[in-house]
Amino acid sequence: MITLRPLTPDDWPLWREVRLAALADAPRAFGSRLADWQGENDREERWRERLVLPGARTLVAEWEGAPVGVAGGVPIPGAEDVAEPVSMWVAGPARGRGVGDRLITAVEQWAREEHGAVALRLAVAPDNPHAAALYRRRGFRRTDLPGNTLPDGRVEHIMEKPLTSLD
């Protein structure tokens, strides 16, 4: 059974475990690099700060008591009615079991009910077809908005989904 759990600042060790696993497993899927969160950057206060971003929510998916996925939602500065799913990742053994769908559904619900968002907008790495397929299946469509340039020079694709009360 898959369960989702919102993280609080006191859950920083779990957030650290899952985030480092995600960055190690899928280094080309994120704007951050594993090295950005290790060494002198691997400090308790930094992990806690990420879990108290104003208006944000971070969720961990657990399966059989073990963390197998993570996703967050953050407000987009300057776009009051749009939120951004971030840090989405599902561990290899849990892929294809509905974990990604459950995480996206939870972020959609948070965005609509707690943030008042009318749309979700996210960035996906151009060579991450599995993530893009999940987002398309969930109603996201590619936009013409420019994406960020990743550390290795690739440019992210921006996708957006309107939210309705029936999603």
Side-chain angles (χ1 to χ4, degrees):
M1 172 186 227
I2 301 163
T3 59
L4 300 182
R5 177 161 74 113
L7 298 182
T8 70
D10 290 338
D11 294 316
W12 73 268
L14 177 58
W15 164 236
R16 179 185 182 276
E17 173 188 349
V18 176
R19 181 66 173 158
L20 293 178
L23 292 169
D25 177 59
R28 293 177 52 87
F30 301 102
S32 295
R33 297 170 300 163
L34 184 59
D36 296 335
W37 287 89
Q38 292 180 317
E40 65 184 41
N41 295 318
D42 189 359
R43 299 178 324 274
E44 177 181 340
E45 62 272 11
R46 184 168 187 220
W47 294 104
R48 285 180 177 275
E49 285 172 8
R50 175 56 176 77
L51 294 174
V52 294
L53 291 174
R57 162 80 50 90
T58 302
L59 302 156
V60 164
E62 296 176 322
W63 178 45
E64 297 182 0
V68 295
V70 64
V74 297
I76 296 179
E80 303 305 318
D81 57 354
V82 181
E84 179 181 12
V86 295
S87 304
M88 176 77 176
W89 174 76
V90 176
R95 293 178 188 147
R97 298 180 182 273
V99 175
D101 284 313
R102 292 277 309 275
L103 286 165
I104 290 292
T105 296
V107 171
E108 289 172 1
Q109 183 177 358
W110 159 83
R112 194 174 37 252
E113 295 175 5
E114 294 184 37
H115 181 61
V118 298
L120 290 177
R121 185 180 303 147
L122 58 80
V124 64
D127 55 353
N128 194 345
H130 297 293
L134 168 66
Y135 300 137
R136 280 193 304 274
R137 189 172 71 244
R138 298 295 312 185
F140 286 84
R141 298 292 171 250
R142 187 156 172 202
T143 72
D144 293 329
L145 295 170
N148 291 326
T149 301
L150 298 169
D152 61 6
R154 295 170 301 136
V155 177
E156 295 173 314
H157 297 167
I158 305 300
M159 301 179 81
E160 190 166 297
K161 174 185 180 173
L163 297 177
T164 67
S165 60
L166 303 176
D167 284 341

